[in-house]
Amino acid sequence: MADKKNAMLIFTKPPIPGLVKTRMTSEYGGFFTQDQAAMFYKCCFYDVCEMAMTAMGELQAANDEKVAADPEADRYIYDFFCSTTPAESLPQMKELFEKGGQWPMEVNFLVDSGHTFDEHFNDACDQLFAMGYESVVAIAGDVPTMPKAHLVQAFQWLEYFQSAGQPGFVYAPCQESGTSLIGYSHNTPGMNHTGIYYNMDGRSALEGYLLKIQEAGIPSAYFDPVADVDEVSDLGHAVSCMRAIREAARWQPLFVPRRTLAFVDLMGITVTTPPNDNHDPRDYLDNPIAEGMEALREKQRAENAYEASKYE
């Protein structure tokens, strides 16, 4: 039996007004004040963390049950990490979790460093691999509609690739050819984040990762896109999806981002769309089609009659 450690990694910064979700504030065409934008992000972050911990708890419980039935089975360990920068932000992040109440599992902290986000991402993952973690799955704190199943399956696929002797890569896109989830193992060949989020070639993050896995022949698992929330237009989509999740959770085992929804409801946010003038009234659409089909039938009948007349 071997212990195999896996890490859930969430990147964030303190939800300070003027520091987070500024593109959703009135100064940049949105409707939030800076305080409201910070509160929105804080609610999203809390929900994302709870969702991730719930997913890891399910994975841990399943493995514990497997080991109890077979003491020779590998023991998988799932730990939760929050990575922030700069180091001066660490006390604020610890306080943020303390004020968040009771969490399902222990929160571990990292400080990532570098000149670009690529370097910060590399640094955080390298720290975890140096601690002996076999695989890392990473998400951001602004994806309140991230399905819990994505995280469960991400770790399961990485474990499968490892057991098959081909360390792999897992990913889910966001709405703009970026990524909302990525994961890989300590021995996934040639995998890092260099040139992914900071490049001068005009290449999207998603295309950058695809290039890496194709060049190195890395097996991969793809999950449905999950939108992050950076702009007001993103918010409208997220709000509708979150409300749909809340409704469907009456019957499906879904994680409901309750804090973010409570904030949205408190703010009285409604989702509207402009009238659709680009419509296709059926009386204009159906009649030409019907007339066209009848003309084709009449033509076919005439051709059939002509062919039959040649043999009379």
Side-chain angles (χ1 to χ4, degrees):
M1 180 182 74
D3 285 353
K4 297 184 177 181
K5 300 194 301 179
N6 300 274
M8 178 73 239
L9 176 64
I10 293 185
F11 285 97
T12 190
K13 48 191 172 183
I16 298 173
L19 183 64
V20 294
K21 298 303 162 193
T22 54
R23 282 181 280 171
M24 300 171 67
T25 62
S26 56
E27 289 90 337
Y28 294 90
F31 55 80
F32 283 155
T33 66
Q34 292 187 356
D35 287 339
Q36 290 167 345
M39 180 57 69
F40 171 77
Y41 177 72
K42 179 179 178 180
C43 292
C44 283
F45 179 71
Y46 276 159
D47 282 335
V48 170
C49 289
E50 183 182 359
M51 178 276 300
M53 293 179 187
T54 303
M56 298 178 75
E58 291 183 5
L59 286 163
Q60 192 68 68
N63 183 251
D64 290 347
E65 183 178 341
K66 182 177 180 180
V67 171
D70 178 12
E72 297 301 315
D74 290 334
R75 180 171 178 261
Y76 285 85
I77 300 167
Y78 301 91
D79 291 330
F80 179 90
F81 283 84
C82 172
S83 191
T84 191
T85 191
E88 290 76 16
S89 299
L90 194 54
Q92 293 171 297
M93 293 309 306
K94 291 182 177 180
E95 182 181 9
L96 180 66
F97 277 99
E98 290 171 1
K99 290 182 176 179
Q102 191 71 31
W103 294 95
M105 63 190 306
E106 180 182 358
V107 180
N108 302 285
F109 295 92
L110 292 177
V111 174
D112 51 87
S113 61
H115 295 292
T116 66
F117 183 63
D118 294 13
E119 294 182 4
H120 282 264
F121 211 151
N122 284 336
D123 181 52
C125 291
D126 289 345
Q127 289 184 58
L128 291 170
F129 292 141
M131 292 183 218
Y133 285 92
E134 182 157 297
S135 297
V136 174
V137 173
I139 58 175
D142 59 352
V143 283
T145 60
M146 174 68 69
K148 179 181 62 176
H150 272 28
L151 301 188
V152 171
Q153 293 172 23
F155 281 107
Q156 289 174 335
W157 272 104
L158 289 176
E159 292 163 12
Y160 168 76
F161 289 139
Q162 283 286 68
S163 66
Q166 292 183 296
F169 181 81
V170 296
Y171 59 107
C174 69
Q175 73 275 31
E176 294 182 343
S177 298
T179 57
S180 57
L181 175 154
I182 71 97
Y184 60 106
S185 299
H186 70 101
N187 53 350
T188 300
M191 181 51 64
N192 56 47
H193 312 281
T194 302
I196 296 295
Y197 300 95
Y198 182 79
N199 71 80
M200 304 304 291
D201 302 324
R203 185 180 60 239
S204 69
L206 182 59
E207 291 289 342
Y209 282 124
L210 285 172
L211 183 62
K212 285 182 181 286
I213 63 178
Q214 289 167 352
E215 287 182 343
I218 301 169
S220 63
Y222 169 92
F223 303 108
D224 289 340
V226 182
D228 56 14
V229 187
D230 288 327
E231 312 278 355
V232 171
S233 58
D234 301 331
L235 178 63
H237 174 73
V239 168
S240 294
C241 288
M242 287 189 289
R243 287 176 173 155
I245 289 169
R246 179 169 58 190
E247 176 62 22
R250 297 166 58 191
W251 294 274
Q252 289 179 285
L254 301 174
F255 179 88
V256 179
R258 55 187 177 86
R259 298 175 183 85
T260 312
L261 277 168
F263 174 81
V264 166
D265 292 342
L266 179 64
M267 289 287 294
I269 295 173
T270 58
V271 181
T272 61
T273 59
N276 180 14
D277 294 327
N278 187 25
H279 57 292
D280 55 347
R282 305 313 300 181
D283 55 338
Y284 291 108
L285 180 64
D286 293 344
N287 288 343
I289 291 178
E291 292 170 2
M293 291 299 294
E294 182 57 33
L296 286 174
R297 293 192 190 98
E298 183 60 32
K299 180 181 179 182
Q300 187 64 52
R301 284 194 290 268
E303 290 176 351
N304 291 343
Y306 173 75
E307 290 295 326
S309 67
K310 292 193 299 184
Y311 298 97
E312 291 180 351

